[in-house]
Amino acid sequence: MNTRSRKLRKDLAASTGDGATYSFMVGVSEMYFIPFVLALGVGEVSAGLFFTIPYLCGSVLQLLAPWGVSFLKSPRKWVLCCAVAQCLSFIPLIDGAIRGSLPAWVIFASFALYWGAAIGAGPAWAAWVAALIPSNIRPKYFGRRSRICQLMTLTGLSVAGAFLFFGEHFDGPKNIDQIQSVADKFSWQLAAFASIFFLGLLSRGASIPYLVRQSEPPSGAWKHSPVPLRTLLIRPLMGQERPLLLFMLVFQLALQISSPFVASYLIGEIGFSNATYFA
């Protein structure tokens, strides 16, 4: 096996490890952000806003990605910085879950940092792996990688669901009014949230060595050029990709109007337990 093949195999294995650990983090922690806010006693509508506003802030922070890649002269380094930032975003959440309370601005800031790092790393990561992985093997490789990632997300969801099930079991049944006073006494449920967020931090931290092992892309493979605002606005309506972009726009509008409030509705209004919500 020549040096180039060994390098490619190393990059593919590291990328798979990164995807698996990142996906476990998503399943074990990200999917339970809104239930955590509700467990702290926040109202249903406010809990939905704790998702939408930080997500919007994260989307805005994504605009820093081209500057960050240019400043660091490497999409690899930018993605590593985003991974470290995501790890840091869990620390206030773990502390708040242990203490039973967390100021609203800290929750907003933590979620915004999490989403900013997650969304901001996306374009740089795509440019990075596109430069590393030959086009002729991408479909087969990413098909296999996606299956592994989906399995790890499901595993993370299941682990978190088990933690929260036992947390609710030890706390005993309680109604919505009793949730408001959860900070007044020790809560096994909040201890379970602290545990799953800690697992999320560890899992994201475990992905960093895999990112480090991947090769630096050739400098010319990820260069980007600025697009004028007028071109940016009219291209979705004029280019060959118009049907796909319009579909994605309408799909995202429908999704983002409703999805941030689904967990609030199921848990806060219908009264789903966290175990039922997981199922």
Side-chain angles (χ1 to χ4, degrees), residues 43-59:
E44 293 89 342
V45 175
S46 298
L49 295 178
F50 273 105
F51 178 92
T52 53
I53 296 177
Y55 194 90
L56 174 62
C57 294
S59 300

Side-chain angles (χ1 to χ4, degrees), residues 25-128:
M25 175 201 70
V26 170
V28 81
S29 56
E30 179 181 313
M31 297 296 185
Y32 294 93
F33 281 170
I34 301 306
F36 169 62
V37 174
L38 290 170
L40 289 177
V42 175
E44 293 89 342
V45 175
S46 298
L49 295 178
F50 273 105
F51 178 92
T52 53
I53 296 177
Y55 194 90
L56 174 62
C57 294
S59 300
V60 173
L61 289 174
Q62 179 186 206
L63 300 177
L64 296 175
W67 172 85
V69 172
S70 297
F71 178 77
L72 296 173
K73 298 181 173 59
S74 167
R76 176 174 174 267
K77 293 177 182 177
W78 175 255
V79 173
L80 283 167
C81 289
C82 290
V84 172
Q86 272 193 300
C87 289
L88 295 176
S89 70
F90 283 109
I91 295 176
L93 302 180
I94 296 170
D95 178 64
I98 292 173
R99 292 189 294 107
S101 64
L102 200 61
W105 71 269
V106 176
I107 301 177
F108 275 114
S110 298
F111 286 179
L113 179 60
Y114 177 91
W115 288 116
I119 302 171
W125 180 85
W128 180 16

